[in-house]
Amino acid sequence: ELPNGCRAGELLHALADRAYGGAAGRVSALLGVCRVAVGDSYVDLDYALQPGDEAAVIPPVSGG
């Protein structure tokens, strides 16, 4: 759970802070290249999350 008014960027920081052991730095670096989606739409990092929002962290992908 996150505090009311939390922004999408703060969600990424909270995830990195909760990484186990010495992994926080690596997790933070990985999250720095990820996007956040709420529902079925990408959102900016300053998007204010609302109660009940379902957020997903999307890693960079490539394909062909």
Side-chain angles (χ1 to χ4, degrees):
E1 291 190 33
L2 299 167
N4 288 336
C6 183
R7 305 222 175 261
E10 294 170 319
L11 166 65
L12 296 179
H13 290 293
L15 291 172
D17 288 346
R18 293 178 185 170
Y20 293 105
R26 291 185 306 242
V27 170
S28 182
L30 290 172
L31 291 173
V33 295
C34 292
R35 297 281 314 267
V36 177
V38 174
D40 60 356
S41 300
Y42 288 108
V43 297
D44 292 327
L45 295 180
D46 64 347
Y47 174 83
L49 297 168
Q50 304 298 315
D53 276 351
E54 187 171 312
V57 178
I58 311 294
V61 295
S62 64

Short mmCIF file of all heavy atoms in Angstrom, two decimals:
data_model
loop_
_atom_site.label_atom_id
_atom_site.label_comp_id
_atom_site.label_asym_id
_atom_site.label_seq_id
_atom_site.Cartn_x
_atom_site.Cartn_y
_atom_site.Cartn_z
N GLU A 1 0.83 -1.17 0.00
CA GLU A 1 0.00 0.00 0.00
C GLU A 1 0.88 1.24 0.00
O GLU A 1 1.98 1.23 0.53
CB GLU A 1 -0.92 0.00 1.21
CG GLU A 1 -1.99 -1.07 1.12
CD GLU A 1 -3.04 -0.90 2.20
OE1 GLU A 1 -3.33 0.25 2.57
OE2 GLU A 1 -3.55 -1.93 2.65
N LEU A 2 0.35 2.30 -0.59
CA LEU A 2 1.07 3.57 -0.69
C LEU A 2 0.24 4.67 -0.06
O LEU A 2 -0.98 4.56 0.03
CB LEU A 2 1.33 3.89 -2.17
CG LEU A 2 2.18 2.87 -2.92
CD1 LEU A 2 2.10 3.11 -4.41
CD2 LEU A 2 3.60 2.94 -2.43
N PRO A 3 0.87 5.75 0.34
CA PRO A 3 0.11 6.86 0.94
C PRO A 3 -0.79 7.52 -0.11
O PRO A 3 -0.51 7.49 -1.31
CB PRO A 3 1.18 7.83 1.43
CG PRO A 3 2.43 7.45 0.72
CD PRO A 3 2.30 6.01 0.33
N ASN A 4 -1.87 8.12 0.35
CA ASN A 4 -2.76 8.86 -0.55
C ASN A 4 -1.99 9.96 -1.26
O ASN A 4 -1.11 10.58 -0.69
CB ASN A 4 -3.92 9.49 0.23
CG ASN A 4 -4.92 8.46 0.68
OD1 ASN A 4 -5.03 7.39 0.09
ND2 ASN A 4 -5.66 8.78 1.73
N GLY A 5 -2.31 10.17 -2.53
CA GLY A 5 -1.65 11.21 -3.30
C GLY A 5 -0.31 10.81 -3.87
O GLY A 5 0.40 11.62 -4.46
N CYS A 6 0.07 9.54 -3.71
CA CYS A 6 1.34 9.06 -4.23
C CYS A 6 1.35 9.18 -5.75
O CYS A 6 0.35 8.96 -6.42
CB CYS A 6 1.52 7.60 -3.82
SG CYS A 6 3.09 6.89 -4.31
N ARG A 7 2.48 9.55 -6.29
CA ARG A 7 2.64 9.69 -7.73
C ARG A 7 3.29 8.43 -8.30
O ARG A 7 3.92 7.66 -7.57
CB ARG A 7 3.47 10.92 -8.05
CG ARG A 7 2.88 12.17 -7.42
CD ARG A 7 2.93 13.33 -8.35
NE ARG A 7 2.27 14.49 -7.78
CZ ARG A 7 1.03 14.85 -8.07
NH1 ARG A 7 0.32 14.14 -8.90
NH2 ARG A 7 0.50 15.93 -7.55
N ALA A 8 3.12 8.22 -9.59
CA ALA A 8 3.66 7.02 -10.24
C ALA A 8 5.17 6.91 -10.03
O ALA A 8 5.69 5.82 -9.80
CB ALA A 8 3.31 7.02 -11.72
N GLY A 9 5.89 8.01 -10.09
CA GLY A 9 7.33 7.99 -9.85
C GLY A 9 7.67 7.56 -8.43
O GLY A 9 8.66 6.87 -8.20
N GLU A 10 6.84 7.96 -7.47
CA GLU A 10 7.06 7.56 -6.09
C GLU A 10 6.81 6.06 -5.91
O GLU A 10 7.43 5.42 -5.06
CB GLU A 10 6.16 8.37 -5.16
CG GLU A 10 6.53 9.84 -5.14
CD GLU A 10 5.49 10.70 -4.43
OE1 GLU A 10 4.27 10.46 -4.61
OE2 GLU A 10 5.92 11.59 -3.69
N LEU A 11 5.92 5.51 -6.72
CA LEU A 11 5.69 4.07 -6.71
C LEU A 11 6.99 3.35 -7.07
O LEU A 11 7.38 2.38 -6.40
CB LEU A 11 4.60 3.70 -7.70
CG LEU A 11 4.47 2.21 -8.05
CD1 LEU A 11 4.07 1.39 -6.84
CD2 LEU A 11 3.50 2.02 -9.19
N LEU A 12 7.68 3.81 -8.10
CA LEU A 12 8.95 3.19 -8.50
C LEU A 12 9.98 3.28 -7.38
O LEU A 12 10.70 2.31 -7.10
CB LEU A 12 9.48 3.82 -9.78
CG LEU A 12 8.60 3.64 -11.02
CD1 LEU A 12 9.24 4.35 -12.21
CD2 LEU A 12 8.35 2.18 -11.32
N HIS A 13 10.07 4.43 -6.72
CA HIS A 13 11.01 4.59 -5.61
C HIS A 13 10.65 3.65 -4.45
O HIS A 13 11.53 3.06 -3.83
CB HIS A 13 11.04 6.04 -5.12
CG HIS A 13 11.67 6.98 -6.07
ND1 HIS A 13 13.01 6.94 -6.39
CD2 HIS A 13 11.14 7.99 -6.79
CE1 HIS A 13 13.27 7.89 -7.28
NE2 HIS A 13 12.15 8.53 -7.54
N ALA A 14 9.35 3.51 -4.18
CA ALA A 14 8.92 2.62 -3.10
C ALA A 14 9.28 1.18 -3.41
O ALA A 14 9.71 0.43 -2.52
CB ALA A 14 7.41 2.76 -2.88
N LEU A 15 9.15 0.77 -4.67
CA LEU A 15 9.53 -0.59 -5.05
C LEU A 15 11.02 -0.81 -4.86
O LEU A 15 11.44 -1.85 -4.35
CB LEU A 15 9.12 -0.87 -6.49
CG LEU A 15 7.62 -0.98 -6.75
CD1 LEU A 15 7.36 -1.06 -8.25
CD2 LEU A 15 7.03 -2.17 -6.02
N ALA A 16 11.82 0.16 -5.27
CA ALA A 16 13.28 0.03 -5.11
C ALA A 16 13.65 -0.02 -3.63
O ALA A 16 14.52 -0.81 -3.24
CB ALA A 16 13.98 1.19 -5.80
N ASP A 17 12.99 0.78 -2.81
CA ASP A 17 13.28 0.80 -1.37
C ASP A 17 12.97 -0.53 -0.71
O ASP A 17 13.55 -0.87 0.31
CB ASP A 17 12.51 1.91 -0.68
CG ASP A 17 13.03 3.30 -1.00
OD1 ASP A 17 14.15 3.41 -1.55
OD2 ASP A 17 12.29 4.27 -0.73
N ARG A 18 12.03 -1.27 -1.28
CA ARG A 18 11.61 -2.54 -0.68
C ARG A 18 12.41 -3.73 -1.20
O ARG A 18 12.13 -4.86 -0.82
CB ARG A 18 10.12 -2.75 -0.93
CG ARG A 18 9.30 -1.73 -0.18
CD ARG A 18 7.84 -1.87 -0.44
NE ARG A 18 7.14 -0.78 0.23
CZ ARG A 18 5.88 -0.48 0.05
NH1 ARG A 18 5.16 -1.18 -0.81
NH2 ARG A 18 5.33 0.51 0.69
N ALA A 19 13.38 -3.49 -2.06
CA ALA A 19 14.22 -4.58 -2.59
C ALA A 19 15.02 -5.20 -1.46
O ALA A 19 15.41 -4.52 -0.51
CB ALA A 19 15.13 -4.05 -3.69
N TYR A 20 15.26 -6.46 -1.56
CA TYR A 20 15.95 -7.20 -0.51
C TYR A 20 17.46 -7.01 -0.57
O TYR A 20 18.04 -6.93 -1.64
CB TYR A 20 15.61 -8.69 -0.60
CG TYR A 20 14.18 -8.98 -0.29
CD1 TYR A 20 13.28 -9.28 -1.30
CD2 TYR A 20 13.73 -8.94 1.02
CE1 TYR A 20 11.95 -9.54 -1.01
CE2 TYR A 20 12.40 -9.19 1.32
CZ TYR A 20 11.52 -9.50 0.29
OH TYR A 20 10.21 -9.75 0.58
N GLY A 21 18.05 -6.96 0.59
CA GLY A 21 19.50 -6.93 0.71
C GLY A 21 20.15 -5.81 -0.08
O GLY A 21 19.70 -4.68 -0.06
N GLY A 22 21.20 -6.15 -0.79
CA GLY A 22 21.95 -5.16 -1.56
C GLY A 22 21.40 -4.94 -2.94
O GLY A 22 22.05 -4.32 -3.77
N ALA A 23 20.19 -5.42 -3.22
CA ALA A 23 19.62 -5.32 -4.57
C ALA A 23 19.00 -3.97 -4.86
O ALA A 23 18.63 -3.70 -6.00
CB ALA A 23 18.59 -6.42 -4.79
N ALA A 24 18.85 -3.10 -3.88
CA ALA A 24 18.13 -1.84 -4.08
C ALA A 24 18.73 -1.01 -5.21
O ALA A 24 17.99 -0.45 -6.02
CB ALA A 24 18.10 -1.02 -2.79
N GLY A 25 20.06 -0.93 -5.29
CA GLY A 25 20.68 -0.15 -6.35
C GLY A 25 20.40 -0.72 -7.73
O GLY A 25 20.10 0.01 -8.66
N ARG A 26 20.48 -2.03 -7.87
CA ARG A 26 20.20 -2.68 -9.15
C ARG A 26 18.74 -2.53 -9.53
O ARG A 26 18.41 -2.27 -10.69
CB ARG A 26 20.60 -4.14 -9.11
CG ARG A 26 22.11 -4.35 -9.03
CD ARG A 26 22.44 -5.80 -9.12
NE ARG A 26 21.70 -6.54 -8.09
CZ ARG A 26 22.27 -7.23 -7.12
NH1 ARG A 26 23.56 -7.30 -7.04
NH2 ARG A 26 21.54 -7.86 -6.24
N VAL A 27 17.85 -2.72 -8.56
CA VAL A 27 16.42 -2.59 -8.83
C VAL A 27 16.11 -1.16 -9.23
O VAL A 27 15.36 -0.92 -10.18
CB VAL A 27 15.59 -3.03 -7.61
CG1 VAL A 27 14.13 -2.67 -7.77
CG2 VAL A 27 15.75 -4.52 -7.38
N SER A 28 16.68 -0.18 -8.54
CA SER A 28 16.46 1.22 -8.86
C SER A 28 16.90 1.53 -10.29
O SER A 28 16.20 2.22 -11.04
CB SER A 28 17.21 2.11 -7.87
OG SER A 28 16.96 3.47 -8.15
N ALA A 29 18.05 1.00 -10.70
CA ALA A 29 18.54 1.22 -12.07
C ALA A 29 17.59 0.61 -13.09
O ALA A 29 17.29 1.22 -14.12
CB ALA A 29 19.94 0.64 -12.23
N LEU A 30 17.09 -0.58 -12.81
CA LEU A 30 16.15 -1.22 -13.73
C LEU A 30 14.84 -0.45 -13.81
O LEU A 30 14.27 -0.28 -14.89
CB LEU A 30 15.89 -2.67 -13.30
CG LEU A 30 17.04 -3.63 -13.48
CD1 LEU A 30 16.72 -4.97 -12.83
CD2 LEU A 30 17.36 -3.82 -14.94
N LEU A 31 14.35 -0.01 -12.66
CA LEU A 31 13.08 0.73 -12.65
C LEU A 31 13.21 2.07 -13.36
O LEU A 31 12.23 2.60 -13.87
CB LEU A 31 12.59 0.92 -11.21
CG LEU A 31 12.14 -0.36 -10.51
CD1 LEU A 31 11.84 -0.08 -9.04
CD2 LEU A 31 10.93 -0.97 -11.20
N GLY A 32 14.44 2.60 -13.41
CA GLY A 32 14.66 3.88 -14.08
C GLY A 32 14.39 3.84 -15.57
O GLY A 32 14.21 4.89 -16.19
N VAL A 33 14.37 2.66 -16.17
CA VAL A 33 14.10 2.55 -17.61
C VAL A 33 12.72 1.95 -17.88
O VAL A 33 12.37 1.66 -19.02
CB VAL A 33 15.19 1.73 -18.34
CG1 VAL A 33 16.52 2.47 -18.27
CG2 VAL A 33 15.30 0.33 -17.78
N CYS A 34 11.94 1.75 -16.85
CA CYS A 34 10.60 1.19 -16.98
C CYS A 34 9.56 2.28 -17.13
O CYS A 34 9.79 3.43 -16.76
CB CYS A 34 10.26 0.32 -15.77
SG CYS A 34 11.23 -1.19 -15.66
N ARG A 35 8.41 1.90 -17.64
CA ARG A 35 7.25 2.80 -17.71
C ARG A 35 6.20 2.30 -16.73
O ARG A 35 6.21 1.13 -16.34
CB ARG A 35 6.63 2.79 -19.12
CG ARG A 35 7.53 3.29 -20.23
CD ARG A 35 7.62 4.80 -20.32
NE ARG A 35 6.36 5.50 -20.25
CZ ARG A 35 5.61 5.85 -21.30
NH1 ARG A 35 5.99 5.57 -22.52
NH2 ARG A 35 4.48 6.51 -21.13
N VAL A 36 5.29 3.18 -16.34
CA VAL A 36 4.19 2.81 -15.46
C VAL A 36 2.89 2.91 -16.25
O VAL A 36 2.67 3.90 -16.96
CB VAL A 36 4.13 3.72 -14.21
CG1 VAL A 36 2.93 3.38 -13.34
CG2 VAL A 36 5.42 3.61 -13.41
N ALA A 37 2.08 1.90 -16.12
CA ALA A 37 0.75 1.91 -16.72
C ALA A 37 -0.27 1.81 -15.60
O ALA A 37 -0.07 1.10 -14.62
CB ALA A 37 0.58 0.76 -17.70
N VAL A 38 -1.36 2.54 -15.74
CA VAL A 38 -2.48 2.44 -14.81
C VAL A 38 -3.69 2.05 -15.65
O VAL A 38 -4.01 2.72 -16.64
CB VAL A 38 -2.73 3.76 -14.06
CG1 VAL A 38 -3.98 3.67 -13.20
CG2 VAL A 38 -1.52 4.11 -13.20
N GLY A 39 -4.32 0.96 -15.25
CA GLY A 39 -5.38 0.42 -16.10
C GLY A 39 -4.74 -0.08 -17.37
O GLY A 39 -3.79 -0.86 -17.34
N ASP A 40 -5.20 0.44 -18.50
CA ASP A 40 -4.62 0.01 -19.79
C ASP A 40 -3.91 1.15 -20.50
O ASP A 40 -3.73 1.11 -21.71
CB ASP A 40 -5.70 -0.60 -20.68
CG ASP A 40 -6.82 0.36 -21.00
OD1 ASP A 40 -6.83 1.48 -20.47
OD2 ASP A 40 -7.71 -0.01 -21.79
N SER A 41 -3.46 2.17 -19.74
CA SER A 41 -2.80 3.33 -20.34
C SER A 41 -1.49 3.63 -19.62
O SER A 41 -1.41 3.55 -18.40
CB SER A 41 -3.69 4.56 -20.26
OG SER A 41 -4.90 4.35 -20.94
N TYR A 42 -0.47 4.01 -20.41
CA TYR A 42 0.76 4.51 -19.81
C TYR A 42 0.49 5.87 -19.18
O TYR A 42 -0.33 6.64 -19.68
CB TYR A 42 1.85 4.67 -20.87
CG TYR A 42 2.42 3.36 -21.37
CD1 TYR A 42 2.14 2.90 -22.64
CD2 TYR A 42 3.24 2.59 -20.56
CE1 TYR A 42 2.66 1.70 -23.10
CE2 TYR A 42 3.77 1.40 -21.00
CZ TYR A 42 3.48 0.96 -22.27
OH TYR A 42 4.00 -0.22 -22.71
N VAL A 43 1.16 6.14 -18.06
CA VAL A 43 1.00 7.42 -17.38
C VAL A 43 2.38 8.04 -17.17
O VAL A 43 3.40 7.35 -17.13
CB VAL A 43 0.27 7.28 -16.03
CG1 VAL A 43 -1.15 6.77 -16.23
CG2 VAL A 43 1.02 6.38 -15.07
N ASP A 44 2.42 9.36 -17.01
CA ASP A 44 3.65 10.07 -16.67
C ASP A 44 3.99 9.79 -15.21
O ASP A 44 3.12 9.42 -14.41
CB ASP A 44 3.48 11.57 -16.87
CG ASP A 44 3.32 11.95 -18.32
OD1 ASP A 44 3.92 11.28 -19.19
OD2 ASP A 44 2.59 12.92 -18.60
N LEU A 45 5.25 10.02 -14.86
CA LEU A 45 5.68 9.76 -13.49
C LEU A 45 5.05 10.71 -12.48
O LEU A 45 5.03 10.42 -11.29
CB LEU A 45 7.21 9.83 -13.40
CG LEU A 45 7.94 8.73 -14.18
CD1 LEU A 45 9.45 8.89 -14.02
CD2 LEU A 45 7.49 7.35 -13.76
N ASP A 46 4.49 11.84 -12.95
CA ASP A 46 3.83 12.75 -12.02
C ASP A 46 2.33 12.47 -11.89
O ASP A 46 1.61 13.19 -11.20
CB ASP A 46 4.08 14.21 -12.42
CG ASP A 46 3.49 14.58 -13.77
OD1 ASP A 46 3.10 13.67 -14.52
OD2 ASP A 46 3.44 15.78 -14.07
N TYR A 47 1.86 11.40 -12.51
CA TYR A 47 0.45 11.01 -12.40
C TYR A 47 0.14 10.66 -10.95
O TYR A 47 0.85 9.87 -10.31
CB TYR A 47 0.17 9.80 -13.30
CG TYR A 47 -1.22 9.24 -13.16
CD1 TYR A 47 -2.28 9.80 -13.85
CD2 TYR A 47 -1.47 8.16 -12.34
CE1 TYR A 47 -3.56 9.28 -13.73
CE2 TYR A 47 -2.74 7.64 -12.20
CZ TYR A 47 -3.78 8.20 -12.89
OH TYR A 47 -5.05 7.69 -12.76
N ALA A 48 -0.92 11.24 -10.41
CA ALA A 48 -1.34 10.96 -9.03
C ALA A 48 -2.20 9.70 -9.01
O ALA A 48 -3.27 9.67 -9.62
CB ALA A 48 -2.11 12.14 -8.46
N LEU A 49 -1.70 8.69 -8.34
CA LEU A 49 -2.45 7.44 -8.23
C LEU A 49 -3.68 7.65 -7.35
O LEU A 49 -3.63 8.38 -6.36
CB LEU A 49 -1.56 6.35 -7.64
CG LEU A 49 -0.33 5.99 -8.49
CD1 LEU A 49 0.63 5.14 -7.68
CD2 LEU A 49 -0.76 5.29 -9.76
N GLN A 50 -4.76 6.99 -7.73
CA GLN A 50 -6.02 7.09 -7.00
C GLN A 50 -6.30 5.78 -6.28
O GLN A 50 -5.84 4.72 -6.72
CB GLN A 50 -7.17 7.39 -7.99
CG GLN A 50 -6.97 8.62 -8.83
CD GLN A 50 -6.89 9.88 -7.98
OE1 GLN A 50 -7.68 10.07 -7.06
NE2 GLN A 50 -5.92 10.73 -8.27
N PRO A 51 -7.05 5.82 -5.18
CA PRO A 51 -7.41 4.56 -4.52
C PRO A 51 -8.08 3.61 -5.51
O PRO A 51 -8.92 4.02 -6.31
CB PRO A 51 -8.39 5.00 -3.43
CG PRO A 51 -8.02 6.43 -3.15
CD PRO A 51 -7.60 6.99 -4.49
N GLY A 52 -7.66 2.38 -5.50
CA GLY A 52 -8.23 1.38 -6.39
C GLY A 52 -7.53 1.27 -7.73
O GLY A 52 -7.82 0.35 -8.51
N ASP A 53 -6.60 2.20 -8.05
CA ASP A 53 -5.85 2.10 -9.30
C ASP A 53 -5.03 0.81 -9.29
O ASP A 53 -4.49 0.41 -8.27
CB ASP A 53 -4.87 3.27 -9.48
CG ASP A 53 -5.52 4.50 -10.08
OD1 ASP A 53 -6.68 4.42 -10.52
OD2 ASP A 53 -4.86 5.56 -10.09
N GLU A 54 -4.94 0.18 -10.44
CA GLU A 54 -4.09 -0.98 -10.61
C GLU A 54 -2.94 -0.56 -11.51
O GLU A 54 -3.14 -0.21 -12.67
CB GLU A 54 -4.86 -2.13 -11.24
CG GLU A 54 -4.08 -3.41 -11.29
CD GLU A 54 -4.94 -4.58 -11.70
OE1 GLU A 54 -6.04 -4.74 -11.16
OE2 GLU A 54 -4.48 -5.33 -12.58
N ALA A 55 -1.74 -0.54 -10.95
CA ALA A 55 -0.57 -0.08 -11.68
C ALA A 55 0.29 -1.26 -12.10
O ALA A 55 0.38 -2.26 -11.37
CB ALA A 55 0.24 0.88 -10.82
N ALA A 56 0.93 -1.13 -13.24
CA ALA A 56 1.87 -2.13 -13.73
C ALA A 56 3.16 -1.43 -14.09
O ALA A 56 3.14 -0.32 -14.63
CB ALA A 56 1.30 -2.84 -14.95
N VAL A 57 4.27 -2.07 -13.80
CA VAL A 57 5.58 -1.57 -14.17
C VAL A 57 6.00 -2.34 -15.43
O VAL A 57 6.11 -3.57 -15.40
CB VAL A 57 6.60 -1.75 -13.04
CG1 VAL A 57 7.98 -1.28 -13.46
CG2 VAL A 57 6.14 -1.00 -11.79
N ILE A 58 6.20 -1.61 -16.52
CA ILE A 58 6.48 -2.21 -17.82
C ILE A 58 7.96 -2.01 -18.15
O ILE A 58 8.42 -0.88 -18.30
CB ILE A 58 5.61 -1.57 -18.92
CG1 ILE A 58 4.14 -1.51 -18.51
CG2 ILE A 58 5.82 -2.29 -20.24
CD1 ILE A 58 3.46 -2.83 -18.35
N PRO A 59 8.71 -3.11 -18.31
CA PRO A 59 10.12 -2.98 -18.68
C PRO A 59 10.24 -2.65 -20.15
O PRO A 59 9.30 -2.87 -20.93
CB PRO A 59 10.68 -4.37 -18.38
CG PRO A 59 9.51 -5.28 -18.58
CD PRO A 59 8.31 -4.49 -18.12
N PRO A 60 11.40 -2.12 -20.56
CA PRO A 60 11.59 -1.87 -21.99
C PRO A 60 11.63 -3.21 -22.74
O PRO A 60 12.16 -4.20 -22.22
CB PRO A 60 12.94 -1.15 -22.05
CG PRO A 60 13.63 -1.51 -20.80
CD PRO A 60 12.57 -1.79 -19.78
N VAL A 61 11.02 -3.22 -23.91
CA VAL A 61 10.98 -4.44 -24.70
C VAL A 61 11.36 -4.10 -26.14
O VAL A 61 11.27 -2.96 -26.58
CB VAL A 61 9.60 -5.10 -24.68
CG1 VAL A 61 9.25 -5.58 -23.28
CG2 VAL A 61 8.53 -4.17 -25.19
N SER A 62 11.79 -5.08 -26.84
CA SER A 62 12.03 -4.93 -28.26
C SER A 62 11.57 -6.22 -28.93
O SER A 62 11.40 -7.25 -28.28
CB SER A 62 13.49 -4.64 -28.56
OG SER A 62 14.29 -5.74 -28.18
N GLY A 63 11.38 -6.15 -30.16
CA GLY A 63 10.93 -7.33 -30.86
C GLY A 63 11.01 -7.14 -32.34
O GLY A 63 11.46 -6.11 -32.83
N GLY A 64 10.55 -8.09 -33.01
CA GLY A 64 10.60 -7.99 -34.45
C GLY A 64 9.65 -8.93 -35.09
O GLY A 64 8.90 -9.62 -34.51
#
